[in-house]
Amino acid sequence: MKKKSKYVLIASHTLLGAALLLIAINLIQYTAGKYDIEKLNYNAEIQVTNDKDYGGGHSEAPVPYEMKIPTSGVHSPHDLKYGFYNEKPPYEKLVHNLEHGDIVIYYPPNTDAETLEKLNVLAHYRKAGSGILAVPNGDVPANDKIVATAWTKTMELPAYDEAKVGTFIYKFINRGPEVIPPEIRQGGGTM
């Protein structure tokens, strides 16, 4: 009788392990497809400002930027993890992310919950070694709800527009002057 229960126990643990493995594989496949960057290729007409390239040196000191929302220039030697932020990190670190081909999407602090949720979803998209950061920013112009930035690129929108934001991300992600391979830069920066 003990021998039979031992076999039943082994068989049940084996089946449980196989079931958990299948669930994990399905979850990974679902997540990988859910955040496929190709889904952002709306090919919408967008108006993008080509900003002056202020260079890309590193400094630990605070940097007085020429632009209110900088898209290039001297910056921190440390960049940030991709994702959704509730507090604005220093521009010095955000500019470093842009140098690596990341997209930084700024939103005003009083942004509605629905838009915040959409930005949180966008912050999960990746391409190679680049990702997206959604960041609150009191410097967003009063008439705008979204300011999307890439290295030397700015797009201002008076309202959240999924097609325009998606098109901006699709066109400019992973196009910074210092692209890092994905196997080295998993999840973004060092901070």
Side-chain angles (χ1 to χ4, degrees), residues 112-128:
D112 63 274
E114 183 181 346
T115 301
L116 293 177
E117 181 55 35
K118 291 175 182 177
L119 293 173
N120 193 7
V121 169
L122 284 177
H124 290 85
Y125 283 85
R126 311 276 183 269
K127 180 176 182 184

Side-chain angles (χ1 to χ4, degrees), residues 30-39 121-122 124-126:
Y30 170 75
T31 303
K34 183 175 181 181
Y35 300 114
D36 180 3
I37 198 81
E38 292 299 321
K39 290 181 179 181
V121 169
L122 284 177
H124 290 85
Y125 283 85
R126 311 276 183 269

Side-chain angles (χ1 to χ4, degrees), residues 6 42 103 111 114 121 130 136 151 161:
K6 183 179 178 183
Y42 293 102
I103 302 294
T111 299
E114 183 181 346
V121 169
S130 298
W151 186 260
D161 183 315

Side-chain angles (χ1 to χ4, degrees), residues 22-35:
L22 285 173
I23 290 170
I25 290 170
N26 285 330
L27 183 62
I28 289 168
Q29 289 174 339
Y30 170 75
T31 303
K34 183 175 181 181
Y35 300 114

Side-chain angles (χ1 to χ4, degrees), residues 8-135:
V8 169
L9 186 61
I10 290 172
S12 64
H13 281 113
T14 303
L15 288 173
L16 179 61
L20 290 174
L21 182 62
L22 285 173
I23 290 170
I25 290 170
N26 285 330
L27 183 62
I28 289 168
Q29 289 174 339
Y30 170 75
T31 303
K34 183 175 181 181
Y35 300 114
D36 180 3
I37 198 81
E38 292 299 321
K39 290 181 179 181
L40 298 179
N41 186 12
Y42 293 102
N43 204 22
E45 187 174 316
I46 58 175
Q47 293 182 343
V48 176
T49 303
N50 292 311
D51 305 322
K52 180 178 177 182
D53 188 337
Y54 291 98
H58 292 149
S59 173
E60 292 281 358
V63 178
Y65 287 103
E66 299 286 326
M67 298 175 63
K68 193 164 191 162
I69 298 178
T71 60
S72 67
V74 173
H75 52 268
S76 170
H78 308 288
D79 57 341
L80 300 159
K81 300 283 185 196
Y82 320 135
F84 183 87
Y85 286 78
N86 292 308
E87 294 182 20
K88 183 183 142 315
Y91 279 128
E92 291 83 0
K93 292 180 182 176
L94 293 162
V95 170
H96 193 148
N97 281 80
L98 297 176
E99 181 184 43
H100 290 308
D102 295 341
I103 302 294
V104 179
I105 302 172
Y106 296 102
Y107 61 89
N110 63 346
T111 299
D112 63 274
E114 183 181 346
T115 301
L116 293 177
E117 181 55 35
K118 291 175 182 177
L119 293 173
N120 193 7
V121 169
L122 284 177
H124 290 85
Y125 283 85
R126 311 276 183 269
K127 180 176 182 184
S130 298
I132 299 162
L133 295 84
V135 176

